[in-house]
Amino acid sequence: MCGIIGYVGDRPVLPVLIEGLKRLEYRGYDSSGIAAFHNGKIQTYRAEGKLSRLTEKLQAVDMDGTAGIGHIRWATHGKPSEKNAHPHRAGKVILVHNGIVENYRDLKENLRRKGVVFQSETDTEVIAHLIDSGLAEGLSPEEAIREALKLVKGSYALGILFDFDPATLYAARKESPLVLGLGEGESFFASDVPALLPFTRRCIFLHDGEMAKLTKETVIVTDLSGKRLDKPEKIVDWSPLMAEKEGFKHFMLKEIHEQPRALIDTFRGIYSLENETFNLENMKIGLDWLKRIKKISIIACGTSWHAALVGRYYLEELAGIPTEVDIASEFRYRNPLVDDATLLVAISQSGETADTLAGVRIARDRGAKVLSVCNVFESSLTRLSDGVAYTHAGPEIAVASTKAFTTQLAALLLIALFLGREVTGKLGREETTELYQALTEVPSLMREILKEEESIKKIARKLKDFRDFLYLGRGLNFPIALEGALKLKEISYIHAEGYPAGEMKHGPIALINPQMPVVFVVPSDRLMPKVLGNMEEVLARDGQVISVATRGTREVLDKSTYAIEIPPVAPMLEPILTVVPLQLLAYHVADLLGTDVDQPRNLAKSVTVE
């Protein structure tokens, strides 16, 4: 996954490109580059490593042009290096690319036979040469792009400059996100909305198989046959400030603290208590169809998969519908038993996760209806869905997901309430209202936890030098153990494993010693005695016990080396609270170790390529 930015207008181009790339740096940081006009000629600058390496190069650079493109890279084909950094040039064509050209080897060999010499190891350079070959045959820029893309198999979001036209940009998309920005006498394109927020909130979202020609005065969108398309303009309601750190040391910490607000926005966006109605946008699934479903399949990746595991509990408990959960990358490569009696729930923060999108297409082909949980309006996932529960988390910049996760839990709970009340009849109006009102109290309880950040930081200081951790939970809190372990290893590079507490004696107990802290997410329900027994077993082997449990639970405190307490809450809602201390613990361990919290090595925010 990479990030691209383009600008044409009357502003100095360099500050626009750099500002946009800063806001896309979560998408990749192996290398970066820009290309823009100066004295009527294209100048290209590239650097290996983080964006700061490129900005150092550009400090003394003068560019008088007002059109340019930029790229931030997460390497797929070709190791991180300056020669593999974008933009790539072939003759008169300069381009940036997010995606993967699956048939690039065949295309590259064909071009080599025609005498083309390649300068990089990337798949992207192939596209530049294909377009340049079209120009050499007398095609116009638009025709050359279209003919080249007919040969390309795979995914792409492209930004293209031609060295003979300093007033025009071109963009094209297939299975990789791309949004156009509209200003007064200026136009933009970018991989994600935050890159545009300093300049405009007026956007056009490109769909697969569409391309755009951008000048400072006009934006023309066509399909790949050249047919002009009438695309609606959208006003994005994210403010520029939402994508700034606002005094926090890292975006991740800011986003942890934004969770109460994000939850409130998500509740209000999906359910109206006043009218007792659910808002699942673009809902094309009738109640008659829903009443015939035999099962629900949930697919997701990474942190969203952990939310899916909690969602299964919600859907089976509150709606009484059999539910299975798959990691999307596994779902797409087996023969999933989904049909026209299956509701597929797809979860993705970005709405652009490649494996999740592939799983959705498979399910749709087999007759399933798709309900998605997503944070990004007009993303690929939402367009493939028959209904959407939007998580109103706002832009999430840190690679390690926090507020997207808790808002996904809230959205899944609300979907379960909807199905339980409107479809299966398992819930009455009173039960629905009672649970919803309990949910609306969670943000204030979450703020209580956030006020205890300093005490969690003290625990982090005691634990930061250990190299292995075990996280254990039961029931609804088992997925939270998985999520806590993932957060720690993502940003601190410490090895951590999440396990069901009941499985401890089936292997992990062999690892317990004084050098392996064990984090317990302790439920307040009937499963608590079981977890207390697991804690005793760790203490008997001289292990350290870190607990996250309901405030004042003496049995837990007595067995804890370090305890983090949460306010009392209904057991059904515990996961939304128990995850917050684990987010803070992981954050402070990583920060104390001095790692790059927002952009951990080798990771990208959204995995938009396989």
Side-chain angles (χ1 to χ4, degrees), residues 17-121:
L17 296 179
I18 294 302
E19 182 63 29
L21 290 178
K22 284 178 180 176
R23 292 163 183 270
L24 292 171
E25 199 169 6
Y26 67 91
R27 298 182 65 87
Y29 26 84
D30 293 331
S31 59
S32 57
I34 60 101
F37 283 91
H38 181 63
N39 291 332
K41 294 183 178 179
I42 290 284
Q43 289 190 359
T44 300
Y45 294 88
R46 302 184 295 183
E48 181 183 349
K50 295 205 170 188
L51 182 60
S52 58
R53 299 281 294 277
L54 178 66
T55 56
E56 287 170 13
K57 271 192 175 186
L58 294 172
Q59 281 179 356
V61 169
D62 177 31
M63 283 184 169
D64 62 4
T66 53
I69 55 178
H71 187 274
I72 194 91
R73 184 170 187 244
W74 186 70
T76 54
H77 294 75
K79 65 182 181 180
S81 67
E82 188 169 319
K83 76 171 184 177
N84 288 329
H86 300 215
H88 289 288
R89 180 165 190 158
K92 300 176 180 179
V93 180
I94 305 92
L95 63 74
V96 289
H97 170 222
N98 170 38
I100 287 181
V101 181
E102 294 174 359
N103 61 335
Y104 85 99
R105 289 187 179 87
D106 293 338
L107 294 172
K108 196 170 189 176
E109 190 55 39
N110 290 338
L111 288 164
R112 277 182 171 147
R113 283 197 288 265
K114 295 176 182 178
V116 170
V117 177
F118 287 84
Q119 304 300 317
S120 74
E121 303 164 332

Side-chain angles (χ1 to χ4, degrees), residues 390-402:
Y390 278 109
T391 56
H392 296 266
E396 189 176 66
I397 305 302
V399 167
S401 182
T402 52

Side-chain angles (χ1 to χ4, degrees), residues 17 98 253 315 361:
L17 296 179
N98 170 38
L253 186 59
L315 290 162
R361 293 185 181 102

Side-chain angles (χ1 to χ4, degrees), residues 187-224:
S187 301
F188 310 78
F189 64 72
S191 293
D192 203 354
V193 169
L196 303 179
L197 291 179
F199 314 109
T200 184
R201 293 193 296 123
R202 297 167 54 210
C203 296
I204 293 174
F205 293 86
L206 284 191
H207 294 182
D208 286 350
E210 295 178 353
M211 61 179 285
K213 179 180 180 180
L214 299 89
T215 69
K216 67 179 187 177
E217 299 295 346
T218 62
V219 171
I220 298 171
V221 180
T222 64
D223 63 19
L224 291 185

Side-chain angles (χ1 to χ4, degrees), residues 115 176 216 276 311 315 318 449 565:
S176 289
K216 67 179 187 177
E276 296 186 339
L315 290 162
L318 300 175
I449 297 170
E565 298 181 89

